[in-house]
Amino acid sequence: MRSIWNGAISFGLVTIPIKLVNATESRSISFRQIHTEDGGRIRYRKVCELDDREVTQSEIGKGYEDADGTIIPITDDDLAHLPLPTAKTIEIVAFVPGDRIDPLQMDAAYYLAAGGAAAAKPYTLLREALNRSQKVAIAKYALRGRERLGMLRVVGEAIALHGLLWPDEVRAPEGVAPDTDVRVNDKELDLADALMDTLGEIELEDLHDEYREALEEVVAAKAAGEAPPEAPEAAKPGKVLDLMAALEKSVRAAQESRGEAGAEEEADVRRLPARKSARAAPKEASGKKSTSTAKKTTGAKKTAGAKKSTTAKKSTGAKKSTAKSAQGAKKTTGGAKKTAARTTTAKKTAAKKTASRKRTA
């Protein structure tokens, strides 16, 4: 591939000689302007308005028109000595994640070819550094008479340069979106999701320019003196009166075009009700509980009754034991009191007897 610009990449103290090669090409069919009466070519002639004569390309140069209409000649030598470090250098100024670049800024694309054997090592170093960091390089460079902004990224085994528009060259999307308050419900979003899933993904390599192919058929037919092929009847787009119906039809059409079975049934997307647990007990028509449930309930009641009875018996027995203990304690206390009284009486009787003997003596 022929290079369109020679220079170097510069980042830090590293310099990589490179050649700039177009990474894209136009495949569109171009037309010439002709005179409809006789088919003669219509050409534009470059005429000097002072001499009123046609001039050749070698006589044409560049000039800047001042505000007062004065033309200031600018030569290629003047442009070659611009006071810019990027005149012949792609100067890398930063490394950033690729998602920081707005696709709106993307412009023309180029490949950077290593400029000789000496450039192989630093070229490979930059490529591998970009690969490992998962970043892109932001650079400034001069091309075709002006300084430009660019992005360097790895494509296969090569480094590609994407021209970028300056941030102030991208217009803000003011006044583009609908200025009315529009609400989208969940049902519409579900259908839109179903349509997106049905259309699925596609390999970009499988896409081709059908317009160009149709145009080539027309040119071939005209060249052979034949009537051009008739265009297939295109469906006329109607007004969308029911968005839901349009989405449902789109889903069905997409499924049918892919040969999916049951396209009509699957196209109608609805939210399914929440499913009940499979472990839930089945309901009976009579409303009665099942025998096993009744048995379990009866058994539970019996067990509860047995537990209550046992507890009651234990409580009654404990109360009786406590009462007997209390009665026994009362009897013991009463007996002790009687014994003490008897002892006191005996002592008094003995004292009286002793006193009577003393008197008699």
Side-chain angles (χ1 to χ4, degrees):
M1 291 184 283
R2 186 175 62 88
S3 64
I4 61 172
W5 183 88
N6 295 337
I9 300 173
S10 171
F11 67 107
L13 299 178
V14 179
T15 300
I16 310 171
I18 55 95
K19 297 178 180 180
L20 200 66
V21 178
N22 280 320
T24 61
E25 59 182 342
S26 175
R27 295 293 184 90
S28 62
I29 297 176
S30 58
F31 296 102
R32 303 292 187 183
Q33 289 185 330
I34 61 170
H35 188 197
T36 55
E37 290 186 4
D38 53 18
R41 285 279 306 275
I42 303 298
R43 298 181 183 272
Y44 291 95
R45 302 180 184 275
K46 298 178 180 180
V47 177
C48 174
E49 61 182 22
L50 296 180
D51 298 341
D52 194 22
R53 68 178 182 87
E54 185 178 354
V55 296
T56 62
Q57 184 62 39
S58 60
E59 298 178 272
I60 299 173
K62 300 181 181 67
Y64 175 80
E65 186 174 0
D66 207 351
D68 60 358
T70 304
I71 300 295
I72 304 173
I74 301 294
T75 66
D76 291 339
D77 189 58
D78 294 331
L79 297 176
H81 293 85
L82 285 173
L84 280 176
T86 57
K88 279 292 183 180
T89 304
I90 299 174
E91 183 182 6
I92 295 176
V93 296
F95 292 89
V96 301
D99 57 8
R100 287 270 305 275
I101 306 302
D102 189 339
L104 286 173
Q105 288 185 257
M106 303 290 280
D107 201 359
Y110 308 93
Y111 287 132
L112 301 180
K121 179 73 173 182
Y123 185 99
T124 305
L125 172 64
L126 176 59
R127 182 190 66 201
E128 295 306 312
L130 289 172
N131 256 334
R132 190 167 72 171
S133 67
Q134 296 296 304
K135 292 183 177 181
V136 297
I138 302 301
K140 296 170 71 176
Y141 64 103
L143 181 65
R144 292 169 182 161
R146 67 186 184 95
E147 188 175 53
R148 302 168 186 262
L149 188 64
M151 175 187 74
L152 276 66
R153 70 181 184 97
V154 178
V155 178
E157 297 295 318
I159 298 175
L161 169 66
H162 292 268
L164 298 178
L165 299 175
W166 296 98
D168 59 358
E169 292 180 316
V170 179
R171 294 178 176 177
E174 295 177 358
V176 177
D179 58 356
T180 57
D181 186 16
V182 179
R183 300 290 180 182
V184 178
N185 59 44
D186 291 339
K187 175 66 174 177
E188 292 167 336
L189 283 174
D190 290 340
L191 282 170
D193 289 341
L195 179 57
M196 292 168 64
D197 292 339
T198 304
L199 292 175
E201 298 182 358
I202 193 171
E203 294 294 334
L204 294 180
E205 292 78 7
D206 296 337
L207 299 177
H208 56 279
D209 188 350
E210 296 181 3
Y211 179 84
R212 188 185 74 224
E213 292 177 353
L215 195 56
E216 288 173 347
E217 292 181 12
V218 171
V219 172
K222 296 281 285 185
E226 302 173 356
E230 294 183 2
E233 185 176 354
K236 295 181 179 180
K239 294 182 179 180
V240 180
L241 299 178
D242 187 345
L243 182 59
M244 296 290 290
L247 285 170
E248 289 174 352
K249 289 180 180 178
S250 299
V251 173
R252 283 196 294 270
Q255 288 176 332
E256 290 171 359
S257 67
R258 290 176 178 270
E260 295 182 10
E264 294 185 1
E265 290 78 2
E266 294 179 5
D268 192 9
V269 181
R270 292 185 176 87
R271 290 186 178 276
L272 296 177
R275 294 183 179 178
K276 295 182 179 179
S277 174
R279 297 182 181 179
K283 295 182 179 179
E284 295 188 7
S286 61
K288 296 181 180 180
K289 294 181 179 178
S290 63
T291 305
S292 59
T293 307
K295 287 181 179 179
K296 288 180 181 178
T297 306
T298 305
K301 287 182 178 179
K302 288 181 178 179
T303 304
K307 287 182 179 179
K308 288 181 179 178
S309 178
T310 304
T311 305
K313 287 180 179 179
K314 288 181 179 179
S315 301
T316 305
K319 288 179 181 179
K320 288 181 178 180
S321 298
T322 305
K324 287 180 179 180
S325 299
Q327 290 176 359
K330 287 181 180 179
K331 288 180 179 180
T332 303
T333 304
K337 287 182 179 180
K338 288 178 180 180
T339 302
R342 288 174 183 173
T343 303
T344 303
T345 304
K347 285 183 179 179
K348 287 180 179 181
T349 302
K352 287 179 179 181
K353 287 180 178 180
T354 304
S356 177
R357 287 174 185 174
K358 287 181 179 180
R359 288 173 189 162
T360 302

